[in-house]
């Protein structure tokens, strides 16, 4: 927790305004993270993955700092534009797009698009005609599959195609008049293995060579996201990722290193945010001496902590009693839905003195929380965010 967040929460409590869970996000941390990415990967353009946290303050800060933006929808494109990014700094990185949304994106000036199959490239070519845009102005990159090994939140299977198919997809795009620009992949979110980029870069280099034999000169590799934030476990620093990626680029591309971009989401905003929540109930399911305690918070899977699904993301939860004896607990959310349990398979140690009304602090909550919160499930409002 930063001093700024600590002071903010203290004042808020003194004023009696600490009702309900809230996520407080410290922009200074985002500023530091952007600087660290820019230093660790100096020849790489940063496209912040807007989906991680689209708060206007975050987008404005990053736009001012020179970041580009990876967007998943027309709404996110509009947010990035409103934050001050010019269209040439925005990519439409979702491989699943409605054709009319491609037309809208083109009309908004977007010229960089992800595809992972021929029919998606066809959509873009048709949309170009509808939007009266020259196809040659439109850069497309083809996403390849990655198994996501080593990632706590893998993004495998749903996006991308096998590398051999990517060559055909890019050739197809090229024949449709589009600018076949490069290759993208995502090694899985919260990727703890700094070497995870190596295999995908080997595939990318092969795709570059194969395309070259077909007369298509690719020039860009989109290295995706995956850069972790600190939850309970320590993670390597961004410099280690920069070094490993540079080594892999040199190994597979020799002295012909392509233009590269990264799309960090979690690594840009995760550690900037902290959720203050409250204990609503502490109970047991039987009188047995060794029965585990259930701790129910006023936030759960539907209130923004969706990434506890399968207990994938294990947040660090701090309390004012952390110096006391700990015992294992099940942690659950407040809704009347039995899937609204955060940690049960692997019990979570919490202080035995923790009781109803106590505040808990959930660290590393700046990414993938506010936008995951339900609108009004069980009447609970979506997670509030305060940017400081
Ligand atoms: C296309 C794309 N790029 C970047 C990201 C951001 O990934 P991360 O938060 O792991 O950095 C995602 C996450 O889903 C994504 O789908």
């Amino acid at each position: 927790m930063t001093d700024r967040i600590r002071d903010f929460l203290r004042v808020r409590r003194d004023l009696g305004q600490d009702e309900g869970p809230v996520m407080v996000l410290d922009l200074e941390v985002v500023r530091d993270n952007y600087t660290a990415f820019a230093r660790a990967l100096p020849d790489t353009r940063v496209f912040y993955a807007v989906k991680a946290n689209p708060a206007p303050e975050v987008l404005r800060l990053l736009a001012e700092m020179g970041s580009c933006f990876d967007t998943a929808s027309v709404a996110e494109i509009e947010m990035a534009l409103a934050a001050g990014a010019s269209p040439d700094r925005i990519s439409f990185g979702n491989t699943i797009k409605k054709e009319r949304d491609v037309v809208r994106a083109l009309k908004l000036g977007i010229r960089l698009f992800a595809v992972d199959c021929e029919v998606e490239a066809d959509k873009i070519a048709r949309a170009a005609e509808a939007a009266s845009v020259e196809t040659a102005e439109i850069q497309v990159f083809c996403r390849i599959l990655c198994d996501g090994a080593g990632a706590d939140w893998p993004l495998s299977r749903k996006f991308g195609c096998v590398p051999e198919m990517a060559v055909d997809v890019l050739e197809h795009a090229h024949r449709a008049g589009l600018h076949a620009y490069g290759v993208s992949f995502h090694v899985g979110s919260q990727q703890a293995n700094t070497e995870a980029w190596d295999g995908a870069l080997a595939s990318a280099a092969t795709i570059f060579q194969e395309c070259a034999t077909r007369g298509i000169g690719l020039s860009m590799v989109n290295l995706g996201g995956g850069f972790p934030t600190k939850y309970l476990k320590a993670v390597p620093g961004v410099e280690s990722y920069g070094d490993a990626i540079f080594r892999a680029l040199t190994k597979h591309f020799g002295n012909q290193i392509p233009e590269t971009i990264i799309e960090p989401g979690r690594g840009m905003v995760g550690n900037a945010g902290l959720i203050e929540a409250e204990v609503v109930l502490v109970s047991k399911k039987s009188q047995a001496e060794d029965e585990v305690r259930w701790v129910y918070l006023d936030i759960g899977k539907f209130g923004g902590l969706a990434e506890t699904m399968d207990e994938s993301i294990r947040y660090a939860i701090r309390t004012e009693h952390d110096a006391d004896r700990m015992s294992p607990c099940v942690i659950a959310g407040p809704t009347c839905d039995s899937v609204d349990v955060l940690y049960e398979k692997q019990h979570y140690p919490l202080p035995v003195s923790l009781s109803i009304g106590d505040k808990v602090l959930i660290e590393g909550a700046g990414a993938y929380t506010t936008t995951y919160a339900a609108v009004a499930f069980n009447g609970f409002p979506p997670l509030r965010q305060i940017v400081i």
Side-chain angles (χ1 to χ4, degrees):
M1 169 159 53
T2 66
D3 290 344
R4 296 177 77 227
I5 295 183
R6 187 176 295 111
D7 292 347
F8 176 84
L9 289 175
R10 193 181 312 118
V11 171
R12 192 170 166 268
R13 205 174 295 184
D14 290 348
L15 293 171
Q17 293 171 345
D18 54 343
E19 177 57 29
V22 67
M23 197 264 271
V24 185
L25 186 119
D26 186 343
L27 272 187
E28 289 306 314
V29 180
V30 181
R31 185 188 298 280
D32 291 348
N33 289 340
Y34 180 82
T35 307
F37 275 115
R39 280 210 190 110
L41 293 129
D43 300 317
T44 299
R45 275 196 302 163
V46 177
F47 280 65
Y48 169 60
V50 174
K51 58 178 80 71
N53 188 327
E57 297 90 339
V58 171
L59 302 186
R60 269 199 304 271
L61 170 74
L62 291 173
E64 271 165 31
M65 293 186 81
S67 185
C68 301
F69 297 89
D70 158 53
T71 64
S73 61
V74 173
E76 284 193 352
I77 291 170
E78 286 169 343
M79 290 178 204
L81 290 169
S86 49
D88 61 326
R89 285 165 60 192
I90 300 172
S91 68
F92 200 159
N94 194 342
T95 50
I96 306 148
K97 303 173 281 301
K98 286 181 181 163
E99 192 167 319
R100 55 185 178 276
D101 285 344
V102 179
V103 174
R104 288 164 72 195
L106 287 169
K107 288 187 173 164
L108 289 169
I110 310 307
R111 297 291 182 268
L112 181 56
F113 293 85
V115 297
D116 65 0
C117 59
E118 293 181 3
V119 287
E120 194 71 15
D122 289 338
K123 270 188 208 169
I124 296 173
R126 279 194 306 268
E129 203 178 329
S132 306
V133 172
E134 289 291 328
T135 47
E137 283 178 29
I138 304 172
Q139 297 175 312
V140 298
F141 54 87
C142 184
R143 181 158 169 177
I144 54 172
L145 283 163
C146 250
D147 65 7
D152 285 346
W153 193 258
L155 298 165
S156 53
R157 284 198 353 261
K158 184 172 171 188
F159 315 99
C161 60
V162 296
E164 304 75 51
M165 179 168 146
V167 178
D168 292 335
V169 172
L170 287 162
E171 184 176 15
H172 188 82
H174 172 76
R175 289 190 193 284
L178 299 163
H179 176 178
Y181 185 37
V183 175
S184 80
F185 54 82
H186 195 301
V187 295
S189 200
Q190 189 67 9
Q191 175 56 262
N193 179 9
T194 56
E195 302 299 324
W197 280 256
D198 185 74
L201 280 170
S203 301
T206 307
I207 296 168
F208 269 55
Q209 284 155 14
E210 187 54 37
C211 279
T213 64
R214 300 189 193 185
I216 303 160
L218 303 180
S219 54
M220 189 277 289
V221 177
N222 177 345
L223 302 157
F227 307 93
T229 201
K230 187 181 172 304
Y231 295 109
L232 265 185
K233 275 187 282 176
V235 289
V238 68
E239 327 71 50
S240 317
Y241 288 84
D243 291 347
I245 288 172
F246 183 69
R247 272 199 308 278
L249 277 166
T250 314
K251 176 170 147 198
H252 299 296
F253 287 90
N255 57 8
Q256 295 202 302
I257 293 184
E259 185 190 326
T260 49
I261 68 180
I262 51 169
E263 298 177 338
R266 193 184 301 279
M268 188 71 84
V269 288
N271 63 342
L274 175 131
I275 291 173
E276 184 181 68
E278 183 180 322
V279 177
V280 181
L281 179 68
V282 182
S283 64
K284 288 187 172 186
K285 301 291 173 197
S286 84
Q287 314 282 28
E289 196 48 35
D290 58 353
E291 182 70 67
V292 68
R293 282 174 306 156
W294 279 64
V295 173
Y296 298 88
L297 304 177
D298 62 355
I299 186 169
K301 273 207 171 74
F302 300 98
L305 302 181
E307 288 197 320
T308 56
M309 205 183 295
D310 296 330
E311 309 196 10
S312 303
I313 296 295
R314 213 162 164 82
Y315 291 99
I317 303 177
R318 312 281 175 218
T319 80
E320 283 178 359
H321 307 283
D322 286 349
D324 295 354
R325 189 165 62 81
M326 298 279 180
S327 79
C329 297
V330 174
I331 306 183
T335 65
C336 298
D337 191 313
S338 58
V339 305
D340 191 10
V341 175
L342 307 182
Y343 303 116
E344 184 178 17
K345 280 190 286 183
Q346 209 186 332
H347 292 153
Y348 199 106
L350 286 174
V352 288
S353 49
L354 190 71
S355 47
I356 294 169
D358 284 346
K359 296 287 187 201
V360 299
L361 301 175
I362 303 170
E363 295 186 337
Y368 305 115
T369 51
T370 48
T371 44
Y372 265 140
V375 176
F377 186 50
N378 282 217
F380 293 109
L383 177 60
R384 246 178 339 133
Q385 173 165 222
I386 300 174
V387 178
I388 59 171

